[in-house]
């Protein structure tokens, strides 16, 4: 059995020019740039053409969780670039209204304060972990600083 690859060329099969190909220039000008068929390659720019639809979300609400507390913050209108969208779907509003048992609603100030405290505790823990790794001869990821 013979292994065949698809014959992709700038002209039509058999070496004949394509029907819609531009005519060669008459005169001394440069020849036209040949256009490659789309089967030749796929680039990131071609993939971006597929995701060129932006989303406009209205009446949006952000739910922030910290510890066992949460707060809803009305954000209004959001514009999301299409290249940042992986999946879009509807949510079940009945399930969205249900909050699991350990979580309790609190004011946004309380949730932000708790979030800040958790962030500081995580930074201290990461710093201690980096110090221990450094004593063992390891350098933590993203620990280098750019100095100009």
């Amino acid at each position: 059995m013979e292994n065949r690859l698809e014959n992709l060329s700038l002209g039509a099969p058999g070496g004949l020019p394509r029907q819609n190909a531009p005519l060669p220039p008459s005169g001394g000008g440069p020849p036209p740039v040949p256009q490659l068929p789309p089967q030749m390659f796929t680039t990131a720019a071609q993939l971006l053409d597929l995701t060129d639809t932006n989303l406009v979300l209205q009446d949006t609400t952000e739910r922030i969780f910290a510890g066992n507390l949460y707060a809803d913050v009305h954000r209004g209108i959001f514009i999301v670039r299409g290249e940042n969208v992986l999946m879009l779907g509807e949510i079940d509003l009945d399930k969205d209204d249900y909050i699991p048992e350990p979580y309790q609603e609190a004011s946004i100030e309380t949730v932000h304060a708790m979030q800040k405290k958790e962030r500081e505790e995580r930074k201290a823990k990461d710093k201690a972990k980096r110090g221990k790794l450094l004593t063992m001869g390891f350098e933590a990821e993203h620990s280098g600083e750019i100095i100009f």
Side-chain angles (χ1 to χ4, degrees), residues 6-11 18 35-43 46:
E6 183 179 353
N7 182 13
L8 298 175
S9 66
L10 295 178
R18 291 184 300 188
Q35 296 296 316
L36 296 174
Q39 300 92 346
M40 292 291 275
F41 55 89
T42 302
T43 63
Q46 287 174 332

Side-chain angles (χ1 to χ4, degrees), residues 89-140:
E90 266 186 84
I91 58 169
D92 185 354
L93 293 176
D94 294 332
K95 288 184 180 179
D96 187 49
D97 290 338
Y98 172 72
I99 305 298
E101 188 61 39
Y103 296 103
Q104 298 176 1
E105 188 170 9
S107 70
I108 188 65
E109 293 82 14
T110 306
V111 174
H112 275 299
M114 182 173 276
Q115 203 175 35
K116 184 177 179 181
K117 180 182 172 189
E118 287 177 350
R119 192 177 308 120
E120 289 171 357
E121 288 173 356
R122 187 172 44 248
K123 282 183 182 180
K125 184 179 172 184
D126 287 346
K127 186 175 180 180
K129 188 188 301 184
R130 279 194 306 269
K132 184 157 180 100
L133 286 172
L134 193 59
T135 61
M136 295 172 20
F138 294 99
E139 184 176 333

Side-chain angles (χ1 to χ4, degrees), residues 15-35:
L16 300 173
R18 291 184 300 188
Q19 288 181 345
N20 295 333
L23 295 173
S26 59
V33 177
Q35 296 296 316

Side-chain angles (χ1 to χ4, degrees), residues 34-56:
Q35 296 296 316
L36 296 174
Q39 300 92 346
M40 292 291 275
F41 55 89
T42 302
T43 63
Q46 287 174 332
L47 293 175
L48 282 179
D49 289 342
L50 299 174
T51 59
D52 205 17
T53 303
N54 296 330
L55 301 175
V56 178

